Amino acid sequence: MEQLKTIGRELAIGSHGGWGQSKEFLDLVKSIGEARSKAEEDRIILREVESLRRRIAEPDVPRRKMKEYIIRLVYAEMLGHDASFGYIHAVKMTHDDALPLKRTGYLAVTLFLSEDHDLIILIVNTIQKDLRSDNYLVVCAALAAVCKLINEETIPAVLPQVVDLLAHPKEAVRRKAVMALHRFYQRSPASVSHLRLCDNDPGVMGATLCPLFDLISADVNSYKDLVISFVGILKQVAERRLPKTYDYHQMAAPFIQIKLLKILALLGSGDKQASGHMYNVLGDIFRKCEQSSNIGNAVLYESICCVSSIYPNAKLLEAAAEATSNDSHNLKYMGVDALGRLIRINPDIAEEHQLAVIDCLEDPDDTLKRKTFELLYKMTKPTNVEVIVDRMIEYMINISDNHYKTEIASRCVELAEQFAPTNEWFIRTMNKVFEHAGDLVNVRVAHNLMRLIAEGFGEDDEGAESQLRSSAVDSYLRILGEPKLPSLFLQVICWVLGEYGTADGKYPAAYIIGKLCDVTEALLCDDTVKAYAISAIMKICAFEISEGRKVEMLPECQSLIDELSTSHSTDLQQRAYELQALLCLESQAVESVMPLDASCEDIEIDKNLTFLKDFVQQSIENGARPYIPESERSGTSNVSNFKSQYQHEASSHMLRFEAYELPRPSPAHVIPQVSVPTPIADFFPVPETTYNSETSQASKLSSVADASSAAHGIKLHLDGVQRRWGRPTYSSSSGPSSTTSTEKTTNGVTHIDGVGSQSRDKLNESRRQQPEVSAEKQKLAASLFGGSAGKTEKKATSTQRAPKGNTRNAERPGVSRSVSPETSKEKAAPSVPDLLDLGEPNPTSTTIVDPFKQLEGLVGPTPVPSPLDNSVKTSGLETPDLMAAVYTDLPPSGSSSGSLTSTTRDMHSADKTSNTATSEPSIKKGPFPQDSLRKDARARQVGVTPTRNNPNLFKDLLG
Amino acid sequence: MIRAVIVMNTQGKPRLLKFYEFQPPEKQQELTRSVFAGQGALLSGRPDNVSNFVEADAIFGPVIFSSLLFVSFVAEITKKKKQEEFKEGTRLVYKHLATLYFVFVFDSCENELAMLDLIQVLVETLDRCFKNVCELDIVFNFNKMHTILDEIIFGGQVLETSSERVLKAVEEISRLEKSSSSVSFVPKSVSGRFGR
């Protein structure tokens, strides 16, 4: 630091060299570099921002100065300070005619503004103009802005210009135009139908693959006929028929290869015929791939992914498996990932690499570890589940990343549920997971655990089940001693203790109740846990009473009841009162309220409330008015109706065009609420009842017209909204309270348990459905593997994942497919010559295959002038060779034809020369020792500490 | 697609931030900070001899606009599926060179190794452009840096992987900029005056 300061002073005195920036900016950067703390840095930048704010607003700022201000603003914003006052100046700068200023303006605007910013409207016009500019740099700058700033609404404004650019003579512009169209597609798929897939230039073709990838991943089936073209292109690329300029580190156009492989993986997944076309070229790639370079491995990896996702071919799989074994240092990660993909198809592959996998697990690299766990997760079998899950939990305990912790916890749970060898192990594992990641796992997991304990693992053996339960109870009583258990885990514990704590008679009721009371006294205990605990106490008491034993109230339990009956939570209050009421009942009643071990029994809800018939009859005989169903009623409304009306008015500001209805006379006296009093409501205080009837009386006083129209309006529009507020159609509390009361009498558990049992039912249902599903899976697996029967279910599920994208897309009824063909048809109508191309129904049947031609024909009319079309066609007929097309084709304008080929030739020669340059980096670096030393000195001055021994940043880059 | 390019120094100071989907400045800072020293101490906590890949779901979350908007009008159910799919697979690749971290953030549509090589392309280009590039070059010429980056990555997609051609394009840009500014600078200001 001391050193820095002195150097800083030197710099202040000395010159600032040819950085092309002003002294002020240099000083700013320097002082920021010297800043000792974040606060100091903030102060400096704030000062800078203030001065910029002042100076930028001055009336006659020279434009060159303004450019620098804008750049400084960008810098300030990069460091996290608000520069919004300068946005408008950046926008103004895009209007400038001078190229540097315009480019700076666009740069600033793309960095500053979001696509929904208000200022965008001021730029759209400029962009439109610039897209038509003669200067291709202006066009490129505008296209960059288009990518960042154009949103769905403004796409139509620039779309025609961008589409026109697809015929631009400059290859770079065409490429960027394709990218811009891709961006449009991402924002609003419906707006783009012009993706033109044929181009003489391989670079542009490569760019087109990006949007194509998106299109195909959205809808695989409508692009199946392109498989052959893609394979053709890939073949040409792999055989190095592209110009040398596309080589990268001795690989032929690796990025194009990767994109193509990704596309093929999509197209070939689960499709035997399509995959058949690919085997050859994939085999070639495997053979040719060199694994010495990074990029070579990238291509290799991608082809492994492709092989693993397409319809499997034994020979290719073998090759792929061999390829994974050659992993070296940094590539382990990819190797493990590739392995993970391969074992879906053939689990034996991983076994050859067992040791390598174990090494990865021991590796200090976190990322690699996670990837390895992913692999392990995929290869879990009943035989190895214990080891794997134990490893996972061990790792889970030690990490602090909540996001990943959640994931790995849920994976542990999933594996344990799927493969648990014994019940004890399962419960032990779940306990560990809950203990360490309880607050992170899904509530569903907890419910699942409760269900499993309640129902056992599906075997009919009563003994095993009760053994499972008592072992669970044992372990929970032990765990309760530990501090700081997660809430969700406590809920599970409370529920299990309540249901089964006294079931095997090992523990006395008082002991369990005492433990439960302890739970509620813990510091971190929330309301839900308290609710679970008191319900559990209630259950235990009920079991005791129904057994005919006397329940003596522990003092702490009594104090708990007292505390909860004055709780803020009405739910807790209700439970407390319920418990008190239950204690006063006689044993028979208690037994029917809370039957022993009835959590698994289905609860039948008698929606018609037939059991109340006698009561109603009696009331009517005594002179009460008969119940009138809501549909026949009018003129009444209640709280929920009003509420939802407000809701409606707030949520949709639609104008209503129909006239108001005439007020309808309402029946003079309608009191539906009290006509069916609920028997249970007497001893469970339900405050809503009184509230409801009060308000409905109040509503009677209010204007009848209003009420009826309101009610009517609701009936017209508001079903969805009303449902959001709970039970929609009950007009009074009589409905809900009596249904819940039936639940209570059969179940003996209150709301939460009621809900739980519902979800439990659902789970049951899904469980029942499972055999069917797995049979289906097996069928699928059998069809995939050619009827090999000895597959485990796990394998079947994992293989099913591969064609998932496929089936999902099949579900979608061709929405996205309609996007391009429809619009292309529209466009096709006026332009007659293109119809020929469109009408080409089955490109695969043609013997002479020109991939580009096919692509073009499929994707629709291109805005290219027809001469180009013709030339492409002829060249396509002559040779299927891509490169021949590149070289022999006459571009549409004719004038630039010579320049095109000459530029490619230029590039060749340039490439050669630069190749020699790269091959001898030391020579190139030789002449600049002073240069680098000077830079180093400056670096120190500005407060950047380079590495000690080597001032050159990229020493390891070229050496 | 590539979601962001971040260049920062070993103290976590941003040197270049480019997000291909809009993020407000505060969010950019937050993301940069958490990339540098997020949960589980991301870049700053990683030793030298480990892989260059980090899973970054926890930091970047799901892809915000690209695919979701599209799916939303297809069907609600598939939307949920998609969303989950996209939540997974945001990764970052970084390269630590002298005092700088080069970080590319991208989604599951890209290949990690290829991205690593793309960083290499960027760095090679910078090195040629500035001749023995160091942190200072990047600090002072970050608009040029943006120009270079725009030639390599465009709208989140890989545009060009040959550093020679990137260099050529950048040189052409600066040449044209120079010529156009010398031609148009004075006359424009004068004509602008008269225009009013």
Side-chain angles (χ1 to χ4, degrees):
Chain A
M1 264 304 163
E2 276 307 305
Q3 196 191 7
L4 274 184
K5 259 183 130 178
T6 53
I7 293 170
R9 236 176 283 131
E10 274 168 39
L11 183 77
I13 302 160
S15 73
H16 47 72
W19 301 101
Q21 309 285 358
S22 80
K23 179 126 182 352
E24 288 168 56
F25 182 66
L26 207 74
D27 286 346
L28 170 74
V29 175
K30 191 195 70 190
S31 55
I32 289 172
E34 275 178 1
R36 280 158 180 273
S37 64
K38 179 81 181 132
E40 199 181 334
E41 184 194 305
D42 281 353
R43 242 189 342 268
I44 292 167
I45 301 180
L46 275 179
R47 213 165 49 224
E48 162 79 4
V49 168
E50 272 316 305
S51 84
L52 278 176
R53 191 200 299 274
R54 222 177 37 247
R55 290 158 69 174
I56 218 166
E58 281 169 10
D60 240 350
V61 187
R63 292 186 309 159
R64 202 171 267 166
K65 204 81 185 150
M66 188 56 115
K67 178 188 164 200
E68 196 201 307
Y69 290 159
I70 297 285
I71 288 178
R72 277 154 75 173
L73 276 180
V74 173
Y75 190 76
E77 187 151 296
M78 186 180 80
L79 292 173
H81 292 263
D82 178 53
S84 51
F85 62 88
Y87 290 178
I88 185 70
H89 297 281
V91 171
K92 254 165 50 192
M93 188 155 276
T94 60
H95 303 333
D96 206 297
D97 283 338
L99 184 64
L101 296 186
K102 192 182 260 310
R103 280 179 51 84
T104 310
Y106 272 127
L107 172 66
V109 164
T110 49
L111 292 172
F112 283 152
L113 301 184
S114 79
E115 57 181 48
D116 298 322
H117 199 280
D118 294 338
L119 290 176
I120 295 291
I121 208 77
L122 296 177
I123 304 175
V124 171
N125 216 338
T126 323
I127 290 180
Q128 277 180 326
K129 205 178 82 220
D130 288 343
L131 286 175
R132 284 199 221 96
S133 166
D134 295 334
N135 188 339
Y136 86 98
L137 287 178
V138 172
V139 177
C140 285
L143 278 174
V146 161
C147 276
K148 190 72 194 297
L149 300 178
I150 294 296
N151 65 11
E152 214 178 326
E153 285 144 37
T154 39
I155 284 176
V158 295
L159 186 62
Q161 282 92 329
V162 176
V163 171
D164 287 345
L165 288 177
L166 290 178
H168 198 276
K170 271 258 183 214
E171 167 261 340
V173 175
R174 289 206 299 273
R175 225 195 260 201
K176 287 183 178 176
V178 170
M179 299 279 195
L181 283 180
H182 181 205
R183 202 70 169 171
F184 290 165
Y185 171 77
Q186 286 177 332
R187 296 223 159 104
S188 148
S191 67
V192 182
S193 56
H194 314 79
L195 286 173
R196 173 169 163 247
L197 300 163
C198 146
D199 202 286
N200 295 335
D201 188 278
V204 183
M205 187 272 300
T208 331
L209 292 176
C210 302
L212 215 65
F213 175 74
D214 270 17
L215 283 171
I216 292 174
S217 52
D219 179 13
V220 180
N221 288 331
S222 47
Y223 293 92
K224 287 281 186 202
D225 41 2
L226 287 183
V227 169
I228 294 185
S229 331
F230 285 129
V231 169
I233 299 173
L234 182 59
K235 206 170 164 61
Q236 290 174 26
V237 174
E239 285 169 3
R240 294 175 173 277
R241 286 204 248 161
L242 290 192
K244 271 275 177 289
T245 36
Y246 288 92
D247 281 9
Y248 176 80
H249 288 205
Q250 284 90 50
M251 282 294 288
F255 279 81
I256 293 180
Q257 285 195 41
I258 287 171
K259 262 278 160 339
L260 280 169
L261 285 167
K262 275 190 189 293
I263 289 175
L264 288 183
L266 282 178
L267 286 172
S269 80
D271 185 338
K272 189 173 183 181
Q273 199 201 343
S275 306
H277 298 300
M278 303 172 194
Y279 293 146
N280 258 333
V281 68
L282 286 174
D284 275 0
I285 290 177
F286 273 124
R287 240 173 296 118
K288 283 186 187 159
C289 244
E290 49 166 322
Q291 299 183 353
S292 53
S293 71
N294 200 9
I295 195 73
N297 279 303
V299 173
L300 186 65
Y301 166 76
E302 209 53 60
S303 41
I304 291 174
C305 294
C306 184
V307 167
S308 64
S309 82
I310 64 175
Y311 189 87
N313 171 299
K315 238 163 92 187
L316 278 182
L317 278 176
E318 236 169 69
E322 259 168 46
T324 52
S325 70
N326 278 356
D327 297 339
S328 66
H329 181 56
N330 197 21
L331 301 166
K332 275 183 189 164
Y333 173 85
M334 300 309 260
V336 168
D337 189 74
L339 216 55
R341 287 166 194 272
L342 286 176
I343 57 164
R344 280 183 201 165
I345 301 167
N346 185 0
D348 302 333
I349 292 173
E351 278 161 32
E352 295 169 25
H353 305 285
Q354 263 172 344
L355 286 179
V357 171
I358 298 294
D359 276 352
C360 291
L361 210 54
E362 306 288 341
D363 204 276
D365 185 353
D366 224 35
T367 317
L368 189 55
K369 242 184 214 165
R370 289 180 190 187
K371 205 78 204 174
T372 316
F373 275 121
E374 214 165 278
L375 171 68
L376 290 180
Y377 167 71
K378 282 177 193 150
M379 57 190 266
T380 307
K381 282 177 284 200
T383 47
N384 58 12
V385 63
E386 287 180 62
V387 188
I388 288 174
V389 172
D390 283 353
R391 279 284 190 135
M392 279 182 167
I393 289 175
E394 197 183 305
Y395 178 67
M396 184 186 79
I397 293 170
N398 291 325
I399 54 173
S400 58
D401 176 355
N402 275 348
H403 180 85
Y404 190 65
K405 211 170 185 172
T406 315
E407 199 178 308
I408 201 167
S410 64
R411 283 191 168 170
C412 286
V413 171
E414 191 183 320
L415 289 180
E417 281 176 2
Q418 221 169 349
F419 298 113
T422 63
N423 296 341
E424 282 75 29
W425 180 84
F426 177 74
I427 288 177
R428 209 170 56 235
T429 310
M430 295 304 275
N431 288 349
K432 265 193 220 155
V433 172
F434 274 110
E435 212 175 310
H436 297 288
D439 289 327
L440 299 173
V441 295
N442 198 334
V443 186
R444 193 190 56 81
V445 175
H447 290 168
N448 229 0
L449 175 62
M450 290 190 245
R451 174 177 62 85
L452 279 171
I453 291 176
E455 294 175 351
F457 280 90
E459 56 262 32
D460 297 326
D461 187 3
E462 273 296 319
E465 231 170 81
S466 64
Q467 193 206 344
L468 166 74
R469 289 168 186 167
S470 59
S471 74
V473 170
D474 280 347
S475 65
Y476 288 152
L477 285 174
R478 204 167 48 242
I479 286 168
L480 270 183
E482 287 179 26
K484 277 197 190 172
L485 293 172
S487 155
L488 200 57
F489 191 33
L490 284 175
Q491 290 169 25
V492 175
I493 292 178
C494 287
W495 189 84
V496 172
L497 288 184
E499 283 289 328
Y500 306 112
T502 54
D504 58 354
K506 211 154 99 188
Y507 302 100
Y511 176 71
I512 304 271
I513 291 177
K515 280 279 183 192
L516 287 169
C517 291
D518 289 347
V519 168
T520 60
E521 277 158 21
L523 205 59
L524 295 167
C525 184
D526 59 14
D527 276 3
T528 324
V529 176
K530 276 184 187 158
Y532 267 95
I534 189 132
S535 292
I537 292 174
M538 180 153 62
K539 277 183 230 164
I540 291 170
C541 292
F543 300 156
E544 288 296 297
I545 293 170
S546 57
E547 292 278 308
R549 280 185 292 245
K550 183 90 182 72
V551 182
E552 75 272 23
M553 253 308 135
L554 294 167
E556 63 252 43
C557 183
Q558 192 58 53
S559 69
L560 176 69
I561 292 171
D562 291 344
E563 183 204 324
L564 292 189
S565 52
T566 58
S567 164
H568 285 299
S569 154
T570 46
D571 178 53
L572 289 181
Q573 266 189 39
Q574 182 172 1
R575 282 162 202 266
Y577 282 117
E578 278 170 9
L579 174 54
Q580 276 173 334
L582 186 110
L583 289 174
C584 309
L585 291 177
E586 59 195 72
S587 65
Q588 233 172 349
V590 169
E591 199 176 346
S592 60
V593 172
M594 287 264 190
L596 190 60
D597 191 15
S599 61
C600 302
E601 263 141 53
D602 290 340
I603 296 154
E604 282 172 29
I605 297 171
D606 187 355
K607 276 194 182 149
N608 295 327
L609 310 181
T610 45
F611 53 91
L612 287 175
K613 277 240 167 85
D614 290 346
F615 185 80
V616 173
Q617 198 62 36
Q618 203 185 345
S619 305
I620 289 175
E621 274 165 21
N622 288 343
R625 293 175 58 86
Y627 174 73
I628 306 168
E630 197 191 22
S631 51
E632 295 166 25
R633 232 178 302 152
S634 66
T636 55
S637 55
N638 57 26
V639 185
S640 73
N641 278 359
F642 277 123
K643 232 182 191 170
S644 51
Q645 192 201 5
Y646 285 132
Q647 253 273 313
H648 173 62
E649 280 176 359
S651 64
S652 70
H653 295 284
M654 278 195 309
L655 289 173
R656 288 173 51 176
F657 293 108
E658 69 270 32
Y660 286 114
E661 288 168 71
L662 288 174
R664 259 189 288 170
S666 71
H669 249 317
V670 186
I671 317 170
Q673 286 85 351
V674 274
S675 62
V676 189
T678 55
I680 312 282
D682 297 351
F683 68 84
F684 293 133
V686 186
E688 287 94 331
T689 319
T690 54
Y691 179 58
N692 258 1
S693 58
E694 263 171 36
T695 43
S696 71
Q697 267 159 11
S699 79
K700 253 179 280 155
L701 295 175
S702 71
S703 130
V704 179
D706 257 359
S708 73
S709 75
H712 208 77
I714 287 149
K715 260 173 225 154
L716 275 177
H717 310 289
L718 283 183
D719 301 291
V721 180
Q722 218 174 4
R723 219 165 283 137
R724 245 162 83 194
W725 288 90
R727 299 156 212 273
T729 44
Y730 299 117
S731 62
S732 73
S733 64
S734 71
S737 72
S738 47
T739 39
T740 43
S741 65
T742 47
E743 257 176 74
K744 270 170 205 152
T745 42
T746 42
N747 189 20
V749 205
T750 32
H751 289 297
I752 289 187
D753 275 6
V755 175
S757 70
Q758 270 174 12
S759 65
R760 219 179 292 141
D761 282 353
K762 249 183 238 160
L763 286 167
N764 277 348
E765 215 170 57
S766 65
R767 230 172 164 225
R768 256 174 260 131
Q769 279 168 356
Q770 226 164 24
E772 283 172 34
V773 176
S774 70
E776 231 174 54
K777 278 176 193 162
Q778 251 153 10
K779 223 162 81 191
L780 188 98
S783 67
L784 272 180
F785 294 116
S788 67
K791 301 279 174 193
T792 60
E793 197 183 321
K794 168 77 175 171
K795 257 183 257 164
T797 52
S798 56
T799 45
Q800 206 217 3
R801 263 177 229 153
K804 187 172 67 178
N806 198 359
T807 51
R808 194 197 306 138
N809 286 320
E811 283 162 24
R812 261 184 249 152
V815 177
S816 48
R817 195 189 312 180
S818 70
V819 174
S820 56
E822 231 177 57
T823 33
S824 64
K825 232 178 267 165
E826 278 170 23
K827 289 224 61 172
S831 64
V832 182
D834 280 333
L835 270 175
L836 264 178
D837 283 357
L838 262 184
E840 192 176 70
N842 190 7
T844 52
S845 65
T846 49
T847 45
I848 308 157
V849 184
D850 181 358
F852 292 133
K853 185 74 217 120
Q854 271 176 272
L855 290 173
E856 185 184 46
L858 201 112
V859 174
T862 57
V864 219
S866 48
L868 176 65
D869 258 6
N870 284 336
S871 65
V872 173
K873 219 176 279 172
T874 49
S875 75
L877 285 172
E878 280 159 21
T879 54
D881 191 336
L882 164 73
M883 280 312 92
V886 172
Y887 287 117
T888 56
D889 256 358
L890 290 178
S893 54
S895 63
S896 64
S897 71
S899 69
L900 184 86
T901 43
S902 69
T903 45
T904 37
R905 238 171 260 147
D906 275 353
M907 283 183 170
H908 269 297
S909 55
D911 187 45
K912 260 176 221 158
T913 50
S914 54
N915 260 351
T916 51
T918 40
S919 60
E920 295 159 322
S922 54
I923 297 172
K924 202 182 171 188
K925 275 195 175 173
F928 304 111
Q930 317 95 309
D931 187 31
S932 58
L933 276 178
R934 216 172 40 235
K935 256 181 200 169
D936 182 38
R938 229 174 266 137
R940 283 172 199 281
Q941 285 164 353
V942 178
V944 189
T945 44
T947 45
R948 264 152 275 115
N949 41 12
N950 194 340
N952 293 345
L953 172 55
F954 301 106
K955 50 146 187 177
D956 42 355
L957 177 75
L958 300 166
Chain B
M1 74 178 254
I2 297 166
R3 301 179 63 184
V5 172
I6 301 171
V7 179
M8 58 180 147
N9 69 2
T10 35
Q11 282 129 39
K13 264 184 202 159
R15 290 304 180 205
L16 176 108
L17 299 179
K18 186 131 187 151
F19 288 82
Y20 289 95
E21 35 201 51
F22 181 77
Q23 306 280 4
E26 315 86 60
K27 183 81 181 161
Q28 293 188 3
Q29 294 303 309
E30 190 194 316
L31 291 174
T32 315
R33 260 199 306 279
S34 45
V35 164
F36 183 66
Q39 255 184 348
L42 270 167
L43 296 193
S44 60
R46 287 173 70 82
D48 284 340
N49 55 347
V50 297
S51 71
N52 297 24
F53 316 120
V54 180
E55 278 161 33
D57 288 334
I59 300 172
F60 286 89
V63 173
I64 297 152
F65 71 90
S66 61
S67 314
L68 293 187
L69 264 187
F70 162 61
V71 186
S72 68
F73 88 109
V74 174
E76 279 299 309
I77 308 156
T78 45
K79 177 180 174 180
K80 267 178 199 146
K81 263 190 200 162
K82 269 279 185 200
Q83 230 161 359
E84 274 159 26
E85 212 171 84
F86 273 97
K87 242 178 203 160
E88 287 169 17
T90 300
R91 287 155 295 180
L92 60 86
V93 162
Y94 71 94
K95 199 154 194 167
H96 183 183
L97 291 164
T99 56
L100 288 178
Y101 282 114
F102 289 82
V103 184
F104 281 26
V105 184
F106 52 92
D107 65 12
S108 54
C109 294
E110 306 287 341
N111 178 316
E112 284 101 330
L113 284 170
M115 286 298 118
L116 193 61
D117 265 42
L118 203 62
I119 296 184
Q120 183 78 8
V121 170
L122 172 65
V123 171
E124 262 177 47
T125 315
L126 289 177
D127 198 51
R128 287 182 184 189
C129 201
F130 295 114
K131 307 209 172 57
N132 294 324
V133 67
C134 70
E135 192 179 338
L136 264 195
D137 292 318
I138 290 166
V139 172
F140 286 119
N141 294 297
F142 77 101
N143 50 343
K144 187 159 191 184
M145 180 91 175
H146 274 292
T147 308
I148 294 170
L149 199 59
D150 278 346
E151 290 301 315
I152 297 175
I153 302 170
F154 192 84
Q157 302 288 350
V158 182
L159 184 72
E160 179 59 74
T161 53
S162 143
S163 62
E164 286 117 52
R165 286 205 286 182
V166 173
L167 209 59
K168 213 175 228 172
V170 172
E171 271 161 14
E172 179 138 353
I173 287 171
S174 52
R175 193 172 54 78
L176 283 176
E177 274 196 348
K178 259 181 209 143
S179 67
S180 84
S181 73
S182 63
V183 170
S184 76
F185 191 68
V186 177
K188 174 66 199 168
S189 67
V190 172
S191 72
R193 288 273 157 78
F194 282 111
R196 264 174 243 153

